[in-house]
Amino acid sequence: MPSAARYYVGVIILIGLPVLFFSAYQFLPSFSRGWLYLAIATVLASIFPARLPVPLKKAGSFSISVGDCFIFAGFLLYGPAAAVLIAALEAAVTYLKVPPFRWERFLFNVSQLSLVAFLVAHAFFLFLGMMAPLDERSVSVPLLLVLLGCALLYGLLNTGIISVAMALVSGRHFSALIKTNFMRLSPTNLLNASAGLLLFLYFEPAEISMAVALIFLIVSAFYARDVSLAD
């Protein structure tokens, strides 16, 4: 890894890990069983990812992952700190599936997604002018617009941080990397934000929310498998 890339990875880790530890310090005293169900769903979605292949005329195809919806559901239900822990869990499990294990990359993945979730969740409540957590009476058209805007911000920050690392490692232009990745993944982020809002709105108690989310993931996984076999 080039020295510039190594320094960049180190900076992200030095920023992201304190954010994760601070979020854990904030949230764990008020730990709830509902959050645990979201965490379990996140782990399952990370181990057995449900990706919906979407054909594109010029670019071939890309996959929509439905796992990030639990990050959005996390800050809608329990606030930014809860979402950061969900994001860290997703990043950790996703990385551990792909050998070989390297501490530097593992910490980078966990740190960058924790940082993204922290910034997006706080931006959501800042622009909305409300305090976390929300209740169903808070839902309105402005909330939906802010949430969709934050979904795009989530994609921009997530792809941006990773694209910088890829550019430093590969020597490719950052602008080309982020443009390609952001445009392809924007539908993913909008879908996940919408799914997170649905979990927040309509599925209570938390046990039902968990069940519906798992059913959605399983059905999506079988659909993706069928499409893959058809191709």
Side-chain angles (χ1 to χ4, degrees), residues 14 30 53 62 64 90 104 114 155 164:
L14 288 175
S30 59
F62 70 96
I64 292 180
E90 179 188 350
E104 188 177 50
S114 298
V164 170

Side-chain angles (χ1 to χ4, degrees), residues 8 11 41 70 109 131 151 195 230:
Y8 173 75
V11 169
F70 300 112
N109 285 1
M131 299 292 291

Side-chain angles (χ1 to χ4, degrees), residues 15-197:
I15 297 173
L17 285 185
V19 166
L20 174 58
F21 294 146
F22 176 70
S23 298
Y25 172 78
Q26 273 191 320
F27 178 72
L28 290 180
S30 59
F31 176 84
S32 68
R33 189 174 61 176
W35 181 89
L36 179 61
Y37 293 136
L38 283 180
I40 293 172
T42 300
V43 171
L44 293 176
S46 301
I47 296 175
F48 308 105
R51 299 182 182 276
L52 308 183
V54 178
L56 296 177
K57 293 182 179 179
K58 295 183 178 181
S61 65
F62 70 96
S63 297
I64 292 180
S65 172
V66 298
D68 283 351
C69 68
F70 300 112
I71 296 176
F72 291 95
F75 71 72
L76 289 171
L77 287 165
Y78 304 109
V84 171
L85 297 182
I86 291 290
L89 189 61
E90 179 188 350
V93 175
T94 301
Y95 180 81
L96 289 174
K97 292 194 311 173
V98 183
F101 179 85
R102 295 181 182 177
W103 275 108
E104 188 177 50
R105 293 185 179 181
F106 173 76
L107 293 176
F108 173 78
N109 285 1
V110 171
S111 299
Q112 71 89 15
L113 199 56
S114 298
L115 181 59
V116 169
F118 178 86
L119 293 174
V120 170
H122 280 281
F124 172 79
F125 288 104
L126 178 65
F127 286 119
L128 197 61
M130 296 182 180
M131 299 292 291
L134 300 173
D135 57 47
E136 291 84 350
R137 294 171 296 178
S138 305
V139 177
S140 61
V141 173
L143 182 146
L144 178 60
L145 294 176
V146 171
L147 181 63
L148 294 179
C150 285
L152 295 177
L153 177 62
Y154 177 90
L156 182 62
L157 291 174
N158 194 20
T159 56
I161 292 174
I162 294 175
S163 295
V164 170
M166 292 173 62
L168 292 173
V169 171
S170 65
R172 297 175 62 187
H173 290 293
F174 165 76
S175 59
L177 287 170
I178 191 172
K179 180 180 179 180
T180 301
N181 293 327
F182 177 70
M183 293 302 294
R184 288 189 178 187
L185 294 176
S186 291
T188 305
N189 300 311
L190 294 173
L191 174 67
N192 285 322
S194 301
L197 182 61

